[in-house]
Structure formats: C-alpha cells, structure tokens
Amino acid sequence: MSDTPADASNTPASAPAAAKPVKHRRYRSGTAKWHMSRESVSISITDVAQWTEKECHDYLVEVRFGSMDNVRCPHCGTIEKHYWRELQRRWKCKGCGSTFSVTSGTVFTDRKRTLKDIITSVLMWINSAAGQPALELKRHMNTTYNTVFVMQHKLREALVRGYNVGVLNGEVEMDGAHQSGRRAAEKRGVPQGSRPVDKDTPVDKLKETMTTQTGRAEEREKQRAAGVVNPEFGQRLPKDRRILFAIRKRSGARGKGACATRVAVGLAETAPVAAAIMRDFVAMPESYLNTDTSPAYTELGKNYKAHLTVEHSKELRGPNGENNNQSEELNWRYDRAEKGVYLNIEPKYMLDYAVETAFRADTRRLPNGQQLKLALNVALSVGESLFWKGFTRGHHREAELIHPAPQPAKPSGPKKGRHPIPAMNGRPPR
Ligand SMILES: [Zn+2]
C-alpha cells in the first residue's frame, strides 16, 4: 500500500500544497439566526393537512375558549360548560338556550369552508413574511379569488379592531411616513428611477420624452390641486397621499428592537392629527417620546416626561443616541409590503394593511405556531365582521379609518349584487 496519509488521499497528487484559504463566515444578524433555527417553525402546512375535522375543531376551541369547560355563549355571554351536541358540533347554551358553534359570533361566521381550510389558509397567510397576495392563496387553496380576498381582509379587520388597540407607555417612538398615491398599477412595466440618456439629446427634447414616458403630467397637477398641503414644505400633496404614523414601544433590550406597535393613518403630519393619535395610543404623562424634528410634535412633546428628537436631514442617530429608528423600521416594512406584495393599496384600506404589517413586525420572533394562535385568537374574539360581511354582494365599508376622525368613503369598484339585465323566467341571465 502507498505511504500517503489518509487525509491527503483526497487531493490530486499534481496539486501543489496551497495555504489553507481563510473562511469568511457570512454575517448573521440575530434575526437571521432566529429564522434559520429549528424553533422558529413549530407547525407546518402538512401537519394541519393531516388533522381530522375534529382535531381542527378542538384546536380552535383551545384557541378561542381555552377548553371545552369554559365556553362563552356569543348570544348572552354566559361562560359555562354548555351542553355539547356532538353530531352537530354545536353547543346549546345553559343560560339562554340558543345554539352556537366554534365560529359563531366571529369573523368566520356563516363559513362555507371547512375548519381545516380556514386554519390552513391562516397559516399560509402567517408564513408569508411581508404579506401574501390573494392570488397566491387562491392558488394554494384552489378556491375563488373572492373567498380568499375576503378571508384575508377579515383577518386584517380582526387585527384592526382587536390588535391595534390600547395605549403604549415607556420609551415610545413616533414617526409619520408619506405613503400611498404611488399608483403602482399605472407604473407597471415603466422603468423606475433613472432612464438611459443619450448625451447628444438636447435638454428640451429630453424633457419632452420624459413627460410622455411618465405621462399624465396634467393629471398629476390636477391631483395636486385637489390634495392637501404639506405643512412642513408647503407643497400640495396628491389626492391619494396619506401619512402612515408608526408608534412603537422600545423593548429596552439591546438588539431586540421594538416590542409593541400601533399604527394610524392621517392626511398630513400635523399637530392635531398627531394629538388625536397620541390620545388613542400613548400614555403620555408616563412616557418618553422620541421623534424626528417635524414641527407636528414640538408642542405635544411637552406633555411627556421627556421629548428627544433627531434631525433626520443630518443624521439617523443624535449625539446622545436620540433616534426613532424603530418607527422608521416599521415604515420600511410597510414599504416592502406595498411595493413588493400588494402593489397598489387603496387609501381607504391603508390602515388594514398597516396593521397587518405591525402584527407581523411584533410577532417576528415568535414560532409560527404561536403567530397562528395569536392571529386566530384575535379573529375569534372581535365578534362578527363589520367591514367584510357581504362584501362580494356589494356591502362595502363606507368609512376610511383615519385620524383625527373617520371619513366617509365611497365603495370602490363596479356595483355588485344585482345584474344589469333583469331576470327572465325567474332565472338571472348567465
Ligand atoms: Zn347564551
């Protein structure tokens, strides 16, 4: 046998003995470490797919009530071990005698899908990092677009009414970001940012082509004229422009970021709007406020224990560590959801999407099974859907949820519910 050591037998004899290359390890942030870990995934789609309908039912009972012994009747509120009717999978209330199921009085009331379908869809929605297109869920579930669109929006509604509530205290950051009004649908296929420029083209000619390329210069002017004036710079904002306010509570632990988030939408970043938002979401006298130097917060900041500002035109972090980077981070997340997934969020439903982003941000370090339980718990405890029940039959929300007060908003899209051609022989035309 040859006398080469075992470990050298793999290298070809002709290769010279080179110095061992330095291994450059890829930098991993704490977040990446978490997402790569085994603990971050505690439930999978295939797990749920193997559950029986009874197991799905038991799971939802646990998520909604805790156990079969403490079931709350949605009709009268009695918490009891109600009479259980196995065959119908419904309870009969010991207090008022009415019957109800695990989805009665929740956003899933009058459901047509099976419980397994509901849990699976919510899990898929949870598993998407930045958000999930309804079209994608339609393909996963092989159902209609309307079904999944309404279901996703019912989840968002549940979060708006059940998650984005209550005041924050402690180290609070607040920031407003210009959002919406991008009209992404019109810009699809049109290159963003700089265009290749032929250096010999005269400037006038260049301007001309730019206007025709981006088009709609007149229309944009018209929109500006109808919009709100930006208090900071005096320029008119487009009609669809909204300001997304992110209020976040710092966790206090280094590298852990924010631990609680509230979001709100306003027409402009002004003091009255900011005041209304703070009234709803911040315990002012016991908190420290961190903002940028926007004049909206100058007076309001005096109601706090302290008000720290950072001048964003100069720096992201002040000389004494002043920053509102957690709020900025949420704005960035919303940006990512809008520009990467949802593409053209209607201003009327902006808050819904923002709250979804806030929920995803707050639960980012939880295993997905826990995220699923949280989302389902909220969806099962806010009562019936107020905004999305009957949406496909033309019942649309007639309010835009903005601060300081909700504004009336028209139902968007074509009229639904009645066919333009009257029925013949008692049967609507196809
Ligand atoms: Zn009852």
Side-chain angles (χ1 to χ4, degrees):
M1 290 301 291
S2 81
D3 55 352
T4 44
D7 59 335
S9 62
N10 289 333
T11 51
S14 57
K20 232 183 175 182
V22 183
K23 256 194 179 175
H24 287 289
R25 283 195 62 131
R26 197 166 150 246
Y27 172 72
R28 257 189 188 184
S29 68
T31 315
K33 193 177 174 193
W34 161 249
H35 288 307
M36 294 302 133
S37 73
R38 192 176 291 162
E39 294 76 38
S40 66
V41 182
S42 57
I43 189 170
S44 73
I45 304 289
T46 44
D47 290 342
V48 181
Q50 284 164 19
W51 289 356
T52 60
E53 199 63 7
K54 172 147 187 357
E55 282 172 312
C56 293
H57 183 271
D58 292 347
Y59 178 81
L60 288 179
V61 169
E62 193 206 320
V63 168
R64 187 178 177 191
F65 300 116
S67 82
M68 291 287 278
D69 299 341
N70 301 297
V71 174
R72 183 184 177 277
C73 167
H75 303 285
C76 67
T78 310
I79 298 176
E80 253 288 6
K81 193 177 176 181
H82 295 294
Y83 306 115
W84 172 243
R85 294 174 165 177
E86 179 66 44
L87 205 62
Q88 302 156 349
R89 288 228 178 88
R90 287 174 80 83
W91 288 275
K92 185 177 158 74
C93 176
K94 281 187 182 173
C96 66
S98 21
T99 65
F100 57 93
S101 74
V102 71
T103 52
S104 295
T106 73
V107 296
F108 303 122
T109 298
D110 297 334
R111 70 192 162 88
K112 286 145 202 93
R113 310 290 299 178
T114 59
L115 295 177
K116 193 195 271 188
D117 274 356
I118 289 177
I119 300 175
T120 316
S121 324
V122 178
L123 181 57
M124 283 174 180
W125 186 74
I126 284 290
N127 280 348
S128 311
Q132 188 186 48
L135 191 63
E136 185 186 310
L137 192 54
K138 173 194 181 290
R139 288 170 182 163
H140 284 320
M141 302 307 296
N142 190 14
T143 176
T144 63
Y145 187 85
N146 275 338
T147 305
V148 291
F149 178 78
V150 169
M151 210 207 70
Q152 289 183 334
H153 261 301
K154 280 180 175 174
L155 289 171
R156 287 184 199 113
E157 177 196 344
L159 294 177
V160 168
R161 289 166 47 210
Y163 184 76
N164 196 44
V165 288
V167 292
L168 305 180
N169 71 345
E171 282 270 352
V172 176
E173 296 184 9
M174 187 162 170
D175 189 36
H178 288 236
Q179 294 290 3
S180 202
R182 181 170 169 266
R183 296 179 296 156
E186 292 171 26
K187 294 189 176 177
R188 263 176 222 164
V190 179
Q192 307 279 314
S194 57
R195 296 183 177 76
V197 175
D198 182 4
K199 69 178 191 317
D200 300 327
T201 319
V203 178
D204 299 354
K205 187 83 183 157
L206 197 66
K207 271 188 185 163
E208 211 173 273
T209 51
M210 280 175 82
T211 343
T212 44
Q213 270 182 344
T214 48
R216 307 168 198 92
E218 282 172 33
E219 191 193 318
R220 203 177 305 133
E221 275 311 309
K222 235 187 275 169
Q223 285 216 342
R224 284 221 177 92
V228 184
V229 179
N230 183 353
E232 216 168 328
F233 305 108
Q235 89 216 59
R236 286 197 171 272
L237 301 175
K239 186 167 65 68
D240 286 344
R241 179 63 54 86
R242 298 290 182 273
I243 312 293
L244 171 66
F245 288 87
I247 306 114
R248 303 195 85 185
K249 177 187 164 78
R250 286 183 194 161
S251 67
R254 192 175 162 78
K256 296 284 182 227
C259 60
T261 309
R262 303 283 179 268
V263 286
V265 177
L267 287 177
E269 196 169 5
T270 56
V273 178
I277 293 167
M278 285 176 183
R279 210 166 38 235
D280 281 0
F281 295 129
V282 192
M284 278 190 251
E286 55 182 281
S287 301
Y288 298 85
L289 180 66
N290 299 274
T291 63
D292 53 19
T293 47
S294 163
Y297 310 112
T298 320
E299 277 303 309
L300 288 162
K302 292 173 185 164
N303 302 328
Y304 288 80
K305 271 191 168 173
H307 179 198
L308 305 176
T309 56
V310 54
E311 200 170 337
H312 268 169
S313 53
K314 277 195 202 148
E315 58 214 346
L316 288 173
R317 188 172 179 276
N320 302 312
E322 305 95 341
N323 71 82
N324 64 348
N325 293 343
Q326 299 306 321
S327 305
E328 299 286 350
E329 195 244 4
L330 190 97
N331 291 330
W332 165 80
R333 275 176 191 272
Y334 181 87
D335 245 29
R336 186 166 78 137
E338 183 185 25
K339 297 191 173 64
V341 180
Y342 297 123
L343 299 182
N344 205 11
I345 296 175
E346 207 182 325
K348 181 175 153 189
Y349 296 123
M350 207 178 129
L351 182 72
D352 302 50
Y353 288 94
V355 175
E356 176 192 341
T357 309
F359 178 79
R360 288 184 192 279
D362 283 350
T363 58
R364 67 197 182 281
R365 297 280 178 93
L366 292 179
N368 66 345
Q370 240 170 305
Q371 295 175 343
L372 175 70
K373 278 188 176 176
L374 268 173
L376 278 173
N377 180 273
V378 178
L380 293 170
S381 42
V382 294
E384 289 186 13
S385 170
L386 303 175
F387 308 151
W388 295 93
K389 208 175 162 186
F391 179 82
T392 49
R393 293 182 298 285
H395 301 294
H396 291 198
R397 189 166 92 196
E398 285 175 7
E400 186 184 338
L401 306 175
I402 56 173
H403 277 78
Q407 287 199 351
K410 275 186 199 153
S412 47
K415 276 225 178 241
K416 297 184 185 74
R418 188 168 294 171
H419 202 279
I421 307 164
M424 286 169 72
N425 308 327
R427 186 173 57 77
R430 285 173 202 195

